[in-house]
């Protein structure tokens, strides 16, 4: 009797998905066997043999049950014998194929390169922008420490800046063209009618006078009158509105040490402001004399100041702490001509005509075009080298040195007398006597100290009047 091998049916808990038979065959999964009533038909293979078993790999290759030689399962699809793999539910790996979708791929090289390039470009752009900002901050945005607080442009009226702000609108620069050339000087407005006071030597021999205001506006001016003995002149502009006349002070009240401000156009630098003090009063100063006959000599009982004054300042105002005019800048003292180190500009010795004298002369020039000079009616010996002013023995053209019935004659002055004092102030020469007299008005009384025959006496004289040049 032949032995029969019985194959156990599949467990009841095992099943395969429908419609996957072909797929299972392709993957090595056996098709379900037909219902055979519990037994599978087997072929008679002859005598029974012991068949050695084979080990089934578990990890390196797919797990399969290897049938014994000569024994095989038959599929119901045809007569061809197809070996099948027995399913072992207790095996290490199931025979089902589970579809888990497409296997995820790793990041490709081109994606890494693109991401790196984009990151580099972005970082470079940010870095460049920050670098530009840093450069601007370090170069164009450099800020140094500065005092905090709003700018205060206001100045005290008595300060130099306050005085300049008050006076500058009334100060003008004069450009004069004449037969001997051209020059520059300064002047200041006297009234709303357009009268301007300046020095006589500024407008001497003038053919054309141009006045420039602090605003830069320029107009033509006409000469009203001038007097070389006082070195003063008046010019006038017409058709100009909004003039700023300067206030005139009292030069009799000026004291040594008072602060003063000078305004002018030194070397044609208009609207130049300098400051100093009154360093002396009553300085006898003579200027001019270019004609040789003495007719153009100016005699000034001047205010001395250390406020810098240079050529071009002539005719400009000298102002006190209240911005009132106390003098008209007229002359400077330089080093001696023989000195090799002679300085052409200011050395701190400037001289101004007292405004009281300037006011009187300006009024006469505006009214009549000429100024009068106070006189005592005597001719002085200008070559006298002693102390005081000596009355000459003879006058011009052989005439008496004391004018008959003149102020001096009525006071008792004689030829050869030496006048040593005027109102108690020492006189050292003829120039000083003239200056002391011209510091007054015609009709003013004076007390003269006279030395005659070695004896001093005092004489009272009332000043007369003479037309100026």
């Amino acid at each position: 009797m032949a032995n029969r091998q019985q194959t156990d049916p599949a467990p009841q808990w095992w099943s395969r998905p429908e419609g996957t038979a072909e797929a299972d065959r392709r993957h090595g999964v056996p098709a379900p066997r037909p219902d055979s009533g519990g037994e599978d038909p087997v072929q008679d293979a002859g005598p029974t043999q012991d068949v050695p078993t084979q080990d089934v790999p578990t990890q390196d290759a797919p797990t399969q049950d290897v049938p014994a030689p000569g024994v095989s399962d038959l599929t119901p699809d045809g007569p061809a014998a197809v070996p099948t793999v027995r399913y072992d539910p207790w095996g290490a790996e199931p025979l089902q194929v589970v579809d888990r979708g497409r296997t995820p791929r790793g990041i490709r090289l081109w994606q890494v390169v693109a991401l790196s390039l984009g990151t580099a470009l972005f970082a470079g752009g940010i870095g460049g922008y920050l670098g530009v900002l840093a450069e601007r901050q370090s170069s164009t945005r450099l800020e140094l420490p500065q005092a905090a607080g709003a700018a205060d442009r206001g100045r005290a009226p008595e300060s130099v800046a306050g005085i300049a702000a008050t006076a500058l609108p009334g100060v003008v620069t004069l450009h004069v063209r004449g037969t001997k050339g051209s020059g520059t000087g300064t002047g200041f407005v006297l009234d709303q009618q357009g009268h301007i006071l300046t020095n006589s030597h500024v407008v001497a021999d003038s053919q054309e006078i141009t006045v420039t205001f602090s605003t830069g506006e320029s107009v033509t001016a006409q000469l009203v009158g001038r007097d070389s003995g006082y070195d003063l002149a008046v010019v006038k502009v017409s058709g100009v509105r909004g003039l700023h006349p300067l206030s005139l002070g009292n030069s009799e009240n000026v004291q040594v040490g008072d602060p003063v401000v000078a305004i002018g156009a030194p070397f044609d630098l208009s609207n130049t402001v300098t400051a100093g003090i009154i360093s002396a009063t009553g300085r006898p100063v003579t200027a001019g004399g270019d004609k040789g006959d003495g007719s153009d000599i100016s005699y000034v009982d001047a205010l001395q100041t250390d406020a810098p004054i240079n050529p071009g300042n002539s005719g400009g105002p000298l102002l006190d702490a209240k911005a009132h005019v106390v003098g008209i800048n007229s002359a400077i003292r330089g080093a001696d001509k023989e000195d090799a180190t002679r300085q052409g500009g200011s050395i701190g010795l400037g001289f101004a005509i007292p405004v009281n004298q300037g006011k009187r002369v300006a009024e006469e020039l505006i009214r009549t075009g000429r100024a009068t000079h106070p006189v005592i009616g005597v001719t002085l010996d200008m070559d006298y080298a002693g102390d005081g002013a000596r009355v000459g023995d003879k006058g011009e053209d052989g005439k008496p040195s004391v004018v008959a019935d003149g102020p001096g004659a009525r006071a008792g002055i004689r030829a050869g007398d030496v006048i040593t004092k005027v109102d108690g102030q020492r006189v050292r020469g003829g120039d000083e006597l003239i200056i002391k007299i011209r510091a007054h008005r015609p009709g003013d009384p004076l007390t003269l100290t006279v030395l005659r025959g070695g004896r001093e006496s005092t004489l009272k004289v009332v000043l007369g009047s003479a037309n100026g040049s």
Side-chain angles (χ1 to χ4, degrees):
M1 184 174 98
N3 292 331
R4 298 175 59 89
Q5 185 178 8
Q6 183 174 353
T7 303
D8 295 331
Q12 294 298 320
W13 49 265
W14 181 83
S15 64
R16 85 175 63 244
E18 295 182 357
T20 61
E22 293 298 327
D24 292 340
R25 291 192 188 97
R26 290 193 297 269
H27 293 283
V29 181
R33 287 176 289 185
D35 189 7
S36 57
E39 283 186 309
D40 295 331
V42 294
Q43 293 181 341
D44 190 358
T48 304
Q49 299 180 358
D50 292 332
V51 181
T53 62
Q54 296 180 353
D55 292 332
V56 180
T58 60
Q59 297 297 330
D60 298 335
T63 304
Q64 293 182 348
D65 291 334
V66 180
V71 180
S72 64
D73 288 335
L74 300 178
T75 62
D77 294 334
V82 179
T84 60
V85 180
R86 180 184 301 171
Y87 174 72
D88 183 1
W90 313 111
E93 294 181 358
L95 297 181
Q96 303 101 305
V97 176
V98 180
D99 185 4
R100 299 183 182 276
R102 180 178 298 178
T103 302
R105 298 178 179 178
I107 299 176
R108 297 186 178 182
L109 179 60
W110 70 269
Q111 294 174 325
V112 175
V113 173
L115 180 61
S116 300
L117 181 60
T119 303
L121 290 175
F122 179 75
I126 295 297
Y129 176 73
L130 294 177
V132 170
L133 287 182
E135 181 180 1
R136 290 181 177 178
Q137 290 288 339
S138 63
S139 60
T140 60
R141 299 286 295 180
L142 176 64
E143 294 185 4
L144 297 175
Q146 187 177 24
D152 181 11
R153 299 186 62 86
R155 297 293 184 270
E158 66 275 9
S159 67
V160 175
I163 296 170
T166 301
L168 275 172
V171 181
V172 301
T173 301
L174 284 80
H175 294 92
V176 181
R177 185 174 61 85
T179 58
K180 298 181 181 180
S182 59
T184 303
T186 308
F188 59 93
V189 179
L190 292 173
D191 54 30
Q192 292 290 349
Q193 286 71 42
H195 293 106
I196 295 171
L197 184 62
T198 187
N199 281 143
S200 176
H201 72 262
V202 171
V203 296
D205 195 31
S206 61
Q207 293 181 326
E208 181 180 353
I209 303 173
T210 301
V211 171
T212 302
F213 294 87
S214 60
T215 58
E217 180 185 5
S218 296
V219 295
T220 301
Q222 301 297 323
L223 178 63
V224 175
R226 70 185 188 91
D227 187 279
S228 59
Y230 288 112
D231 195 20
L232 292 172
V234 173
V235 300
K236 183 179 181 181
V237 295
S238 301
V240 179
R241 297 182 180 180
L243 294 175
H244 295 271
L246 297 189
S247 298
L248 304 183
N250 186 351
S251 54
E252 293 293 333
N253 295 333
V254 173
Q255 296 183 12
V256 174
D258 284 347
V260 288
V261 173
I263 302 179
F267 301 103
D268 204 14
L269 299 173
S270 60
N271 303 323
T272 296
V273 178
T274 57
I277 62 169
I278 296 293
S279 49
T281 60
R283 289 295 196 200
V285 175
T286 59
D290 296 335
K291 292 184 178 180
D293 58 0
S295 61
D296 61 339
I297 296 178
S298 300
Y299 298 91
V300 180
D301 192 27
L303 300 174
Q304 180 181 315
T305 180
D306 66 349
I309 297 173
N310 289 284
N313 276 101
S314 295
L318 187 68
L319 305 148
D320 64 11
K322 296 182 179 179
H324 296 162
V325 180
V326 293
I328 301 95
N329 300 319
S330 181
I332 61 173
R333 173 65 186 268
D336 293 336
K337 295 182 180 180
E338 293 78 12
D339 187 354
T341 62
R342 177 178 173 83
Q343 185 174 342
S346 173
I347 60 173
L349 292 174
F351 303 97
I353 302 168
V355 72
N356 289 13
Q357 182 174 329
K359 177 178 180 295
R360 180 185 71 82
V361 174
E363 291 171 345
E364 291 185 350
L365 292 175
I366 293 172
R367 185 170 58 250
T368 66
R370 299 179 66 88
T372 59
H373 297 174
V375 295
I376 59 174
V378 299
T379 300
L380 298 178
D381 181 5
M382 303 304 292
D383 295 328
Y384 179 68
D387 190 19
R390 181 178 183 274
V391 179
D393 296 327
K394 292 184 178 180
E396 295 179 0
D397 301 330
K399 295 180 180 180
S401 58
V402 179
V403 177
D405 199 28
R410 289 193 295 267
I413 297 176
R414 300 177 185 178
D417 286 349
V418 178
I419 302 173
T420 58
K421 294 180 182 178
V422 175
D423 286 341
Q425 296 181 351
R426 176 68 64 178
V427 174
R428 294 179 177 84
D431 291 341
E432 286 195 25
L433 178 60
I434 297 173
I435 291 170
K436 295 299 183 183
I437 292 173
R438 289 193 178 180
H440 296 79
R441 295 173 178 267
D444 288 347
L446 294 178
T447 300
L448 304 179
T449 300
V450 177
L451 180 61
R452 181 187 302 166
R455 299 179 61 181
E456 283 189 342
S457 61
T458 58
L459 303 175
K460 301 289 186 179
V461 62
V462 178
L463 295 176
S465 177
N467 289 330
S469 56

